[in-house]
Amino acid sequence: MSSFSSSKCIVWFPILALTIQLFSIHNVLSQTQNNAFLFHKCSDIEGNFTSKSPYESNLNKIFRDLSYRVSSTGFAASSTGNTPDKVNGLALCRGDASSSDCHSCLATAIPEISRRCPNNKAGIIWYDNCLVKYSSTNFFGKIDYENKFYLYNVNNVSDPTSFNTQTKSLLTDLTMKATAGDNQKLFATGEKSLGNKKLYGLVQCTRDLKSETCKACLDGIIGEIPNCCDGKEGGRVVGGSCNFRYEIYSFVNIA
Ligand SMILES: *[C@@H]1O[C@H](CO)[C@@H](O)[C@H](O)[C@H]1NC(C)=O
Ligand SMILES: *[C@@H]1O[C@H](CO)[C@@H](O)[C@H](O)[C@H]1NC(C)=O
């Protein structure tokens, strides 16, 4: 998949950033807002497929399989067909999404990515609660360096230097927690006191990664804090293999 050019990315920032700010103002979220659409990307680098082709039929099979299997554990990866019509796909729900929220996120994401990328052999779509990705290339177990975007809250903190340090420290701790031997979910959330405020964080990787690969992925995006959300009250780096989020309000679902 081709990479985002950074200038192309910047065009999206104000729109997406505004969405986040609205979320923080209206703390009571409806279900649809709670599972907001974030971003998508179609890729034709691997070519396009035609209607009624074997590729299309394999892709539909992958979509059915992913949506059937994802709710029980929040993750599914699957391949079907033979080269050149082989399709690889994965679906991941946010680690704190209930099984019904997970299932309904996929039920929204799959038709939406099909509509947005009708003939692309590869594509990815992100919502708050889930991610769906497919490609003719076998991408399992590897860090996705191609698909990535930033989101931030437009509000600035008053003490950016110490705030950035605290953010980095929380997300680094959460990375350790998410990739510790017994954490099969490659997901962690936590919080940290900042004087009279609190900082909340979340990290997650797709579960086709080994824990050390997950750690490398998260360490990489945490290193992008100065680019994505320097001194901002909230921020996210969202990739195809891992993502983090931090806010000064609680955004995690309590089961
Ligand atoms: C795929 O289709 C798009 C839109 O129809 C077209 O612009 C693009 O050149 C095609 N790519 C390839 C590799 O055929
Ligand atoms: C935050 O700081 C930036 C850069 O100094 C500024 O352009 C922006 O308007 C500030 N945002 C708010 C909400 O005050």
Side-chain angles (χ1 to χ4, degrees), residues 92-106:
L92 175 72
C93 288
R94 214 172 90 165
D96 59 341
S98 67
S99 131
S100 75
D101 285 349
C102 175
H103 191 263
S104 83
C105 188
L106 252 70

Side-chain angles (χ1 to χ4, degrees), residues 21 154-156 232:
Q21 193 191 27
V154 291
N155 295 325
N156 300 310
K232 299 295 179 189

Side-chain angles (χ1 to χ4, degrees), residues 148-247:
K148 188 164 55 191
F149 63 96
Y150 302 156
L151 295 166
Y152 59 82
N153 187 313
V154 291
N155 295 325
N156 300 310
V157 297
S158 51
D159 50 349
T161 309
S162 88
F163 186 83
N164 291 347
T165 306
Q166 298 292 333
T167 303
K168 186 173 178 190
S169 145
L170 172 62
L171 295 174
T172 304
D173 289 350
L174 293 179
T175 297
M176 297 308 290
K177 199 172 143 191
T179 57
D182 55 350
N183 189 341
Q184 302 296 321
K185 282 187 93 178
L186 301 180
F187 170 77
T189 60
E191 57 191 66
K192 192 181 176 80
S193 285
L194 300 181
N196 57 355
K197 278 189 199 159
K198 251 185 186 173
L199 182 63
Y200 299 84
L202 173 159
V203 301
Q204 185 169 22
C205 295
T206 57
R207 278 183 251 152
D208 56 313
L209 301 187
K210 290 197 174 115
S211 61
E212 61 263 32
T213 316
C214 171
K215 183 176 182 305
C217 186
L218 289 168
D219 286 344
I221 61 171
I222 291 168
E224 292 182 42
I225 291 174
N227 309 323
C228 79
C229 23
D230 189 25
K232 299 295 179 189
E233 283 185 355
R236 312 191 209 184
V237 174
V238 186
S241 301
C242 67
N243 73 87
F244 74 70
R245 179 175 181 182
Y246 73 87
E247 303 285 355

Side-chain angles (χ1 to χ4, degrees), residues 19 23 29-38 101 104-105 108 127-129:
T19 317
F23 283 1
L29 303 174
S30 78
Q31 187 55 45
T32 26
Q33 279 173 315
N34 205 2
N35 184 30
F37 165 77
L38 299 178
D101 285 349
S104 83
C105 188
T108 306
Y127 283 77
D128 250 349
N129 278 339

Side-chain angles (χ1 to χ4, degrees), residues 6-172:
S6 49
S7 61
K8 202 171 170 188
C9 245
I10 285 162
V11 177
W12 281 92
F13 291 173
I15 305 160
L16 295 165
L18 186 66
T19 317
I20 288 199
Q21 193 191 27
L22 285 172
F23 283 1
S24 61
I25 294 166
H26 304 289
N27 242 332
V28 183
L29 303 174
S30 78
Q31 187 55 45
T32 26
Q33 279 173 315
N34 205 2
N35 184 30
F37 165 77
L38 299 178
F39 204 80
H40 86 284
K41 195 177 157 204
C42 311
S43 169
D44 65 16
I45 288 193
E46 301 166 20
N48 296 322
F49 64 83
T50 50
S51 180
K52 313 267 191 280
S53 62
Y55 197 89
E56 182 179 58
S57 124
N58 289 333
L59 181 58
N60 289 335
K61 210 160 151 190
I62 290 285
F63 283 154
R64 282 194 301 274
D65 189 46
L66 295 177
S67 58
Y68 174 71
R69 286 173 41 217
V70 78
S71 339
S72 57
T73 63
F75 177 72
S78 161
S79 298
T80 197
N82 299 309
T83 315
D85 299 311
K86 185 168 180 177
V87 183
N88 308 283
L90 71 72
L92 175 72
C93 288
R94 214 172 90 165
D96 59 341
S98 67
S99 131
S100 75
D101 285 349
C102 175
H103 191 263
S104 83
C105 188
L106 252 70
T108 306
I110 289 174
E112 194 59 25
I113 187 78
S114 306
R115 194 178 65 77
R116 289 173 186 251
C117 310
N119 304 111
N120 300 81
K121 280 198 171 178
I124 183 164
I125 190 163
W126 292 268
Y127 283 77
D128 250 349
N129 278 339
C130 69
L131 148 74
V132 175
K133 176 179 171 177
Y134 61 89
S135 172
S136 63
T137 304
N138 180 346
F139 55 82
F140 299 132
K142 295 170 206 141
I143 298 175
D144 179 348
Y145 292 106
E146 308 297 328
N147 299 300
K148 188 164 55 191
F149 63 96
Y150 302 156
L151 295 166
Y152 59 82
N153 187 313
V154 291
N155 295 325
N156 300 310
V157 297
S158 51
D159 50 349
T161 309
S162 88
F163 186 83
N164 291 347
T165 306
Q166 298 292 333
T167 303
K168 186 173 178 190
S169 145
L170 172 62
L171 295 174
T172 304

